[in-house]
Amino acid sequence: MNVTVKNKKLSQWIKEVADLCKPDDIYVCNGSKEEYDQMVKTLIDSNIAIPLKKRPNSYLFRSDPSDVARVEDRTYISTQSQDEAGPTNNWIDPTELKELMKGFYKGCMTGRTMYVIPFSMGPIGSPIAKIGVEISDSPYVVINMHIMTRVSDRVLELLGTDGDFIPCLHSVGAPLEKGQEDSIWPCAPIENKYISHFPEENLIWSYGSGYGGNALLGKKCLALRIASAMARRESWMAEHMLILRLTNPEGKQYHIAAAFPSACGKTNLAMMQPSLPGWKCECVGDDIAWMKIGPDGRLYAINPENGFFGVAPGTSYDTNPMAMDSLKDNVLFTNCALTDDGDVWWEGMDGDEPAHAIDWKGNDWTPESSHDAAHPNARFTALASKCPVICEDWEKPEGVPIDIFVFGGRRGTVVPLVYESLNWEHGVFLGATAASETTAANIGAVGNLRRDPFAMKPFCGYNMGDYFQHWLNMGEKLGDKRPRIFYVNWFRRSEDGKFLWPGFSENSRVLKWMCDRVDGKAGAEETPIGLIPKDGELDTSGLDISSEDMKELLHVDTKAWKAEIPDIENHFSVFGDRLPEKLRNQLKEFEKRLG
Ligand code: SAT
Ligand code: MN
């Protein structure tokens, strides 16, 4: 081991893990640039990292074709009682799961180095931040953690001898025999992968995968699943939300936190540049928000992450110029295609397709090939500080005050462009019933309706019925300082299948209406589903859109909404008596309003 660890809990844990996993060596990370460069060099020398000529300090990685995304089927919330994990989570009894996983961990790091990665989620020392330590046998994980979290020896200093942290144990699950050659992307077969959370003891055990949220344990595992359970106990919120700052032409700031299921353009909205003259938008975070009530009673949000782990395919100067500009240097790419001139490429990037490339599996690819060059879940890992529109206050320890919550999904029909909730409880009802049509990025048939409450279905670390109650409780604590709640749908289509709303930069018009609502400047019409912009209240100046299309975009089709009721009832029924009475009543009142 390269340093002496002073923290008692940590040194004890390192010893326990080393005794179980039997690594050849132990290295405690300090988060320095030298450390990063050294790890990258080792990865280049073993042909795992491919340097990109076109982008300084940027590297391409190719995963094993069996290890390309989060594995929700293999993800567990392991609480004493199954009821605590609730109907939306996989569950195994903690004693049983630990026994089983210890069997896998036994000797699993033989032939490898065990890295100890001290990290902070949130600015180091922020009152909202949390300290984690990941133990991993993957150098790829170490360098990704360097970007996605704040890895630093200052974290160890902050821990002192007795400070507490969240232990996150990770192994790719591929021990090496003496003389055995390592593979480019070691991992275990799918049936041996386990992404386990023990929220009652703030503990994460992950085995068998090296990809994204399965392995970078600060993100979905700590910052959402474990943090959501802590947040309930400690009366704060850990949400799957982007955070942005909007500034109007008079210089007034508004902070918006928004939750969307995957494939609804969350990263695009987080970095959106308003088409409306004089309005400014800055990004605070693109995926996760931690929020606490501040001394003034308002809700303050921080982005606990340090980087973006974004989906590459579909990202272009057209769809997200600010993301593209964040990717010029110091980026890690995974499962993108490699062009002949030493750049990355993916489907949906600007310009012509390359005439030849190496696909994500390492094979020749041409436009005539029958498969995609980049994997649909190919990713970039980029520093948030590289984003040209990162908000100057994005690392403010106390966070930014949230004015507006937005929920949404992808719906070709029924759901209008925007509406406001009637009140907080109704807003919680909107979050709890949020739904989206499945796309090629989801499992299941394309076009199916999937309920994904608060976009948290795969990320809630406890019973989702109790999570709904927590939202109601937070509303009571916030009183008249509650953010306003809106629901949006950028994806409504005309009868002939065309998108009715241009989206992207033009979404600023919808956000402007929300800000004007907060200021009491914009009118709204009460409908059975909520408050819709009054005729002419949504700013369409300079936008080429017909009044018929606008009408259709804001139309509330009572009959179509009535037809949704059985699906909502069905969705609510799985929570049994854990469904808050207030949400049951919301559904009843909604039915009544529909007539
Ligand atoms: O792989 S991650 O969980 O980090 C990203 C995602 O699937 O949303
Ligand atoms: Mn996400």
Side-chain angles (χ1 to χ4, degrees):
M1 197 151 85
N2 54 323
V3 296
T4 328
V5 171
K6 294 197 195 79
N7 183 271
K8 290 179 209 150
K9 172 174 163 176
L10 182 56
S11 69
Q12 174 69 24
W13 183 54
I14 292 172
K15 188 178 173 312
E16 262 168 37
V17 175
D19 286 347
L20 178 63
C21 301
K22 303 267 185 289
D24 283 11
D25 208 354
I26 302 174
Y27 175 82
V28 181
C29 299
N30 58 34
S32 67
K33 184 173 180 310
E34 294 72 46
E35 177 177 283
Y36 184 89
D37 292 345
Q38 182 53 49
M39 309 261 324
V40 166
K41 190 179 173 305
T42 317
L43 286 164
I44 295 171
D45 290 346
S46 35
N47 295 320
I48 293 173
I50 304 166
L52 297 168
K53 278 194 219 104
K54 294 275 170 171
R55 297 177 201 246
N57 294 317
S58 301
Y59 307 92
L60 172 66
F61 296 83
R62 295 191 188 115
S63 82
D64 190 276
S66 72
D67 197 28
V68 291
R70 271 187 300 107
V71 282
E72 286 179 21
D73 283 358
R74 313 292 310 164
T75 299
Y76 294 87
I77 299 298
S78 181
T79 41
Q80 291 300 324
S81 89
Q82 180 162 12
D83 220 22
E84 190 49 37
T88 57
N89 285 312
N90 298 316
W91 178 86
I92 297 178
D93 169 80
T95 314
E96 194 182 317
L97 182 55
K98 281 185 181 168
E99 273 319 298
L100 189 138
M101 287 189 76
K102 273 185 193 161
F104 285 116
Y105 281 131
K106 210 167 171 187
C108 72
M109 294 185 187
T110 302
R112 300 188 184 280
T113 297
M114 169 175 134
Y115 299 97
V116 179
I117 316 163
F119 64 95
S120 176
M121 294 311 286
I124 298 174
S126 154
I128 315 183
K130 299 274 177 209
I131 291 177
V133 179
E134 176 159 350
I135 287 185
S136 174
D137 52 8
S138 161
Y140 167 86
V141 164
V142 175
I143 57 171
N144 273 270
M145 287 293 285
H146 264 238
I147 296 178
M148 293 307 298
T149 73
R150 286 139 175 120
V151 177
S152 171
D153 43 14
R154 276 165 59 213
V155 169
L156 288 184
E157 275 166 38
L158 204 66
L159 273 184
T161 51
D162 296 297
D164 201 11
F165 63 92
I166 298 159
C168 313
L169 174 55
H170 171 251
S171 171
V172 293
L176 285 171
E177 302 294 332
K178 251 207 165 53
Q180 185 187 341
E181 202 187 323
D182 200 0
S183 57
I184 294 287
W185 186 278
C187 63
I190 181 79
E191 65 276 12
N192 294 352
K193 291 191 208 304
Y194 284 87
I195 319 299
S196 306
H197 308 72
F198 305 93
E200 287 156 343
E201 43 182 322
N202 292 343
L203 177 68
I204 300 163
W205 279 11
S206 163
Y207 182 89
S209 166
Y211 206 91
N214 302 331
L216 313 178
L217 303 184
K219 197 176 175 61
K220 309 293 188 183
C221 297
L222 191 160
L224 286 176
R225 298 195 191 96
I226 293 295
S228 63
M230 294 175 96
R232 177 179 54 149
R233 295 195 295 264
E234 300 164 3
S235 283
W236 52 283
M237 305 171 94
E239 299 296 332
H240 191 202
M241 287 179 167
L242 67 89
I243 310 165
L244 65 83
R245 168 184 289 172
L246 207 60
T247 310
N248 75 10
E250 289 75 50
K252 184 169 177 193
Q253 295 178 348
Y254 306 83
H255 295 96
I256 301 182
F260 301 95
S262 59
C264 294
K266 206 156 130 229
T267 305
N268 295 347
L269 183 64
M271 299 175 193
M272 180 264 282
Q273 291 308 288
S275 59
L276 284 172
W279 286 74
K280 194 165 111 186
C281 181
E282 293 160 286
C283 175
V284 178
D286 80 326
D287 197 35
I288 300 175
W290 282 359
M291 294 170 281
K292 265 191 187 162
I293 299 177
D296 61 357
R298 297 180 73 189
L299 192 61
Y300 284 79
I302 65 161
N303 167 14
E305 300 192 274
N306 191 51
F308 308 123
F309 186 66
V311 177
T315 307
S316 69
Y317 275 97
D318 224 20
T319 60
N320 195 339
M322 295 302 120
M324 289 302 281
D325 278 344
S326 315
L327 304 180
K328 288 182 171 161
D329 54 69
N330 292 285
V331 188
L332 305 175
F333 294 96
T334 310
N335 287 347
C336 299
L338 177 67
T339 62
D340 295 347
D341 59 354
D343 199 1
V344 279
W345 187 81
W346 49 74
E347 278 67 22
M349 205 190 236
D350 313 80
D352 297 333
E353 294 177 316
H356 174 266
I358 305 293
D359 70 13
W360 68 276
K361 287 186 180 170
N363 300 320
D364 285 312
W365 180 94
T366 68
E368 281 72 49
S369 300
S370 56
H371 60 278
D372 287 346
H375 186 276
N377 194 39
R379 297 275 172 164
F380 53 79
T381 316
L383 284 162
S385 58
K386 290 275 167 187
C387 179
V389 290
I390 196 75
C391 179
E392 60 173 354
D393 288 336
W394 84 282
E395 298 193 278
K396 220 180 177 177
E398 66 272 30
V400 295
I402 298 299
D403 303 285
I404 291 167
F405 279 131
V406 181
F407 302 122
R410 173 187 287 271
R411 295 291 302 268
T413 57
V414 188
V415 181
L417 177 62
V418 61
Y419 57 109
E420 185 182 355
S421 70
L422 299 167
N423 50 50
W424 182 269
E425 276 172 31
H426 181 235
V428 174
F429 175 74
L430 297 185
T433 54
S436 201
E437 277 148 21
T438 50
T439 66
N442 304 109
I443 350 98
V446 171
N448 274 355
L449 196 60
R450 248 198 2 175
R451 301 272 162 199
D452 183 356
F454 298 83
M456 280 290 276
K457 193 166 174 243
F459 306 120
C460 185
Y462 59 101
N463 190 306
M464 194 119 214
D466 295 349
Y467 168 86
F468 298 158
Q469 185 60 53
H470 182 56
W471 264 83
L472 294 166
N473 295 348
M474 288 303 291
E476 276 181 22
K477 287 208 171 72
L478 284 158
D480 63 357
K481 304 272 184 5
R482 291 186 270 239
R484 302 273 278 264
I485 301 178
F486 295 82
Y487 199 97
V488 300
N489 173 28
W490 318 128
F491 302 95
R492 193 150 172 174
R493 290 171 189 261
S494 63
E495 260 166 32
D496 54 4
K498 282 204 295 283
F499 284 116
L500 287 163
W501 182 248
F504 303 105
S505 300
E506 306 299 353
N507 291 339
S508 57
R509 299 167 186 277
V510 174
L511 301 187
K512 178 190 176 195
W513 180 72
M514 295 177 188
C515 297
D516 286 346
R517 287 292 298 158
V518 167
D519 289 341
K521 289 199 294 208
E525 186 185 321
E526 185 161 342
T527 78
I529 66 165
L531 303 158
I532 305 275
K534 267 214 173 97
D535 217 18
E537 291 281 5
L538 198 94
D539 188 344
T540 53
S541 54
L543 184 67
D544 186 21
I545 192 164
S546 70
S547 58
E548 292 81 63
D549 281 359
M550 261 336 283
K551 232 193 177 112
E552 178 61 20
L553 274 166
L554 296 173
H555 178 59
V556 178
D557 180 348
T558 314
K559 228 168 92 197
W561 279 101
K562 267 190 198 163
E564 300 247 312
I565 298 284
D567 191 61
I568 298 177
E569 278 169 350
N570 201 25
H571 163 60
F572 273 178
S573 69
V574 305
F575 301 107
D577 61 5
R578 296 264 189 155
L579 183 78
E581 195 56 39
K582 282 185 172 154
L583 289 189
R584 224 182 291 272
N585 290 338
Q586 280 292 331
L587 179 55
K588 267 192 223 140
E589 281 166 33
F590 181 38
E591 258 190 289
K592 250 195 260 160
R593 289 196 302 270
L594 288 168

